[in-house]
Amino acid sequence: LPISQTIPERFDETAAAYASKPAVKDELGASITYAELQERSLRCAAWLTGQGVKKGDVVGVAAERSLRLYEILLGIMRIGAVYLPLDPKSPPERLEHIVNDAEAVLTIHLDQIDYASVEPSALPGGTAPHDVAYLIYTSGSTGRPKGVLVPHDGFLNMIQGQIDIFGITDADRVLQFASPAFDASLSEIFMTLLSGACLYPVTDHLRNAPWTLKEFMREHVVSVVTFPPSYLHLFNQESFPELRVLITAGEAPIADDALHYAGQLDYFNAYGPTETCVCASIKKVSPEETPPLSVGKPLPNMTARILNSAKQPLPAGMVGELWIGGASLACGYYKNEALTQERFQALPELDAARLYATGDRALWSESGEIVLVGRSDDQVKIRGNRVEPGEVAFLLESNDEVEQAFVLAEKDGEGRMMLAAFVVLREGGKMEALTRWSLEHLPVYMVPSFWQAVDAMPVTVTGKVDR
């Protein structure tokens, strides 16, 4: 049955069972036990209350992976406030837009707050399982990121499904690889902290040095890791003797790598949009699989439908749009009821209370698994991050030197997705200045890899990019 709890309630149960066990260890050797994490999160909650934060308020947190991040995250949720992850490396204009759009009452930078001397106090009651736990922003086709509201119980349903399918136990050591600004990090964090396992957050410096990271994983006997397939590909199929579970997500798996590692350990191909609380379906890959690899079947208490344009179910082998329903659906989009109604629909003729239209094209395999075949729009994944090329074009056109911009997605020579930008410059505009500007104003994963100045923008830009 779906879980009817809040995230802090579930964490407190785990903390009681594993009080003296390390909950988090960082690469410098610092650690915190479950009991200490529980106490510090209570102090943070009391500090937040003293700052006037109340249930339903949005609190932004601009932080890298660190021990204190988890105290603050739990502290926010304890008082019924809404956690808003922010990437401190994002361009200031983007962060300002997100904070303003979310109407955050407070933005926390870890080096600017101190609640160590604050006494924990009785927390305000009234936080319910269906209340919003976090608000996270994803790329938007209109040129602005859009916020997705995720409830406590929906997220917990997803996490419990992952814990069960991956077999996470208190003996595991789990890497926190994803940036805290992306929802994949919440999956890594809570499948660890709600199972009694130990979390190992790594800095971007280590993340950007794959072979040093591999040595870190060996030294600390990390047993569970989630990588984007393009990152896993950097290891050239080198073995990970210490790993028990290897998960790839965020992009289509690279079949050769997946089948290679599936013969050595438990390899899972995970899939899910932010609107389904991170993960909607999981496939344990067998080394005997035949590509294309499926994304398996929906998690417990979740459903999937593949429908034609008339919203009628399709039989195995026929391609349609993938719709997802069940306990782990997001509440909807923040301050965007029209988009919420468009993408989250009740379909009573299918006996579906509410389904989310993913925009992914898919088919059912003969074995009843979901096989993804593409998108019905321009959305792509770049290094595991969701990107709307239209948003990148919109942002480029905000530059005074740009008359018009068009951005499309292409695959590079290694089969990895990249962005290509075609730009009409205003008189006197310089492409070199625009590329420098993009590095300062776009998140790194949204910066095009290929640039071309054109005299006029065609109606459509098609075909392969000539590099």
Side-chain angles (χ1 to χ4, degrees), residues 3-9 55-56 77-81 124-133 150-154 156 331:
I3 295 169
S4 183
Q5 282 182 303
T6 65
I7 293 170
E9 286 172 345
K55 178 181 176 180
M77 292 183 180
R78 283 188 183 283
I79 61 173
T127 304
H130 59 269
D131 287 337
V132 176
V150 176
H152 287 262
D153 52 1
L156 285 176
C331 304

Side-chain angles (χ1 to χ4, degrees), residues 139-140 378-383 385-392 407 419 445-446:
S139 187
D378 295 330
Q379 185 189 108
V380 293
K381 290 292 185 76
I382 306 290
R383 292 174 238 169
N385 302 301
R386 188 160 128 183
V387 177
E388 299 272 4
E391 181 184 358
V392 182
V407 177
L419 296 176
Y445 60 90
M446 292 174 68

Side-chain angles (χ1 to χ4, degrees), residues 265-336:
L265 42 71
D266 289 344
Y267 181 103
F268 295 91
N269 179 30
Y271 159 82
T274 297
E275 290 86 346
T276 63
C277 297
V278 188
C279 185
S281 68
I282 296 172
K283 165 69 175 179
K284 183 177 182 181
V285 178
S286 161
E288 290 79 34
E289 298 279 345
T290 301
L293 302 180
S294 83
V295 294
K297 299 179 180 181
L299 270 63
N301 304 307
M302 297 294 287
T303 61
R305 308 290 177 89
I306 296 175
L307 308 178
N308 62 17
S309 58
K311 299 188 178 73
Q312 297 170 330
L314 293 171
M318 294 192 66
V319 176
E321 183 175 9
L322 176 61
W323 294 63
I324 296 171
S328 292
L329 281 192
C331 304
Y333 297 105
Y334 185 58
K335 295 193 302 186
N336 196 334

Side-chain angles (χ1 to χ4, degrees), residues 33 175 195 216 282 366 395:
T33 67
L175 195 74
S195 62
F216 172 88
I282 296 172
E366 292 297 336
L395 294 169

Side-chain angles (χ1 to χ4, degrees), residues 44-123:
C44 179
W47 178 84
L48 288 165
T49 300
Q51 300 297 308
V53 180
K54 59 187 182 300
K55 178 181 176 180
D57 284 344
V58 176
V59 179
V61 181
E64 302 291 354
R65 309 161 192 83
S66 69
L67 300 184
R68 292 191 72 200
L69 169 64
Y70 315 113
E71 307 167 11
I72 293 169
L73 192 166
L74 283 164
I76 291 169
M77 292 183 180
R78 283 188 183 283
I79 61 173
V82 179
Y83 168 61
L84 171 67
L86 301 168
D87 185 354
K89 300 185 299 300
S90 279
E93 295 91 339
R94 185 179 180 85
L95 287 176
E96 183 179 7
H97 166 76
I98 291 174
V99 168
N100 290 339
D101 186 73
E103 301 175 296
V105 300
L106 182 68
T107 299
I108 293 174
H109 298 268
L110 302 194
D111 59 350
Q112 297 174 357
I113 65 168
D114 181 11
Y115 46 79
S117 61
V118 176
E119 286 297 320
S121 58
L123 298 178

